[in-house]
Amino acid sequence: VGLALAVLAVVITGDSDLLQLAGENVLVVLPGAKRFGDVREFDVAAVVERYGFGPEYVPDYKALVGDTSDNIPGVPGIGDKTAKKLIAEFGSLEEIIAHVDDVTPTRARNALAANIEQALESKKLATIVRDMEIEFDLSTARVNDFDREAITELFRTLEFRSLLAKLPTPDDAATTVAVVEDREPSEQRTIRTREDLDKLLAAIRDSGE
């Protein structure tokens, strides 16, 4: 209950890149490292405990070590330990580059000096864009039929190879739409106060579900 009152947004994801979103009002939830069902919750303190630095430096870390799953090259020769050391010493990637002559060990200094543009591009790739002006209409997010041929071509262009096999067949899509449209309309309310939360909990207890 305390958590629900403090957090305004919960991001549930399998992508550790999104840990950069963790903040005072944002909780990021990842599946377990060994068992998917063992979820891990990350606020700012949990990110610091995991990496040794705050969420704001996650893109800088990814820019240094790279991420093969997202095709982020990083800086060849710089691994987890060196990246954390550099961030602890200098801060952001830009600050590390500004003090590249002071970087130790020599191997890391030479690697960084030879890959500055690649490191900056890697940070750009690793940074979640948050300032886009998006008008979100929940009704447009409903599951409907789709142009399978157009989606297949788009997935191939974007190299979403593993998702191609997961596209539902026309029969599957029709069934999903029918299930969604059969649901009764629901009322949506945002719980922002202790009083509203108490009323909701009482209603849940009374209804038994």
Side-chain angles (χ1 to χ4, degrees):
V1 173
L3 181 62
L5 289 174
V7 176
L8 294 182
V10 178
V11 181
I12 302 175
T13 177
D15 190 347
S16 62
D17 287 0
L18 271 69
L19 290 177
Q20 65 191 267
L21 301 180
E24 181 180 353
N25 297 315
V26 179
L27 184 74
V28 179
V29 179
L30 293 177
K34 295 182 179 180
R35 292 181 56 197
F36 191 84
D38 297 333
V39 297
R40 296 165 292 167
E41 298 179 351
F42 289 89
D43 54 12
V44 173
V47 174
V48 172
E49 181 179 354
R50 173 171 175 165
Y51 288 110
F53 50 76
E56 69 273 20
Y57 291 118
V58 170
D60 303 278
Y61 173 79
K62 295 279 186 176
L64 292 169
V65 302
D67 188 339
T68 55
S69 66
D70 287 332
N71 293 323
I72 298 175
V75 178
I78 292 185
D80 172 76
K81 184 176 179 180
T82 302
K84 290 177 179 178
K85 171 183 175 294
L86 293 176
I87 291 173
E89 187 173 355
F90 300 106
S92 69
L93 175 66
E94 290 77 9
E95 284 298 314
I96 296 171
I97 292 172
H99 297 86
V100 66
D101 292 337
D102 300 322
V103 168
T104 57
T106 303
R107 174 183 51 79
R109 178 170 66 248
N110 293 338
L112 186 60
N115 294 278
I116 288 177
E117 291 303 319
Q118 181 167 293
L120 291 170
E121 182 67 18
S122 294
K123 180 174 179 177
K124 181 179 179 181
L125 291 171
T127 301
I128 304 297
V129 177
R130 310 190 206 186
D131 57 356
M132 294 181 66
E133 295 185 5
I134 299 176
E135 294 183 5
F136 179 64
D137 179 6
L138 188 60
S139 64
T140 64
R142 295 182 62 183
V143 177
N144 289 299
D145 198 7
F146 60 93
D147 186 334
R148 185 180 180 85
E149 184 176 339
I151 292 296
T152 298
E153 182 62 30
L154 177 62
F155 278 18
R156 285 175 177 160
T157 300
L158 298 176
E159 299 183 3
F160 292 168
R161 298 183 185 91
S162 63
L163 296 180
L164 275 171
K166 298 179 181 180
L167 282 175
T169 65
D171 290 341
D172 291 338
T175 301
T176 302
V177 172
V179 171
V180 171
E181 292 181 346
D182 282 346
R183 291 176 181 167
E184 295 183 2
S186 60
E187 177 186 355
Q188 298 182 8
R189 288 178 293 162
T190 302
I191 306 301
R192 297 189 182 278
T193 67
R194 165 70 71 171
E195 182 181 2
D196 287 343
L197 181 61
D198 289 341
K199 289 179 180 178
L200 174 63
L201 293 175
I204 292 173
R205 281 192 292 266
D206 291 343
S207 67
E209 61 180 6

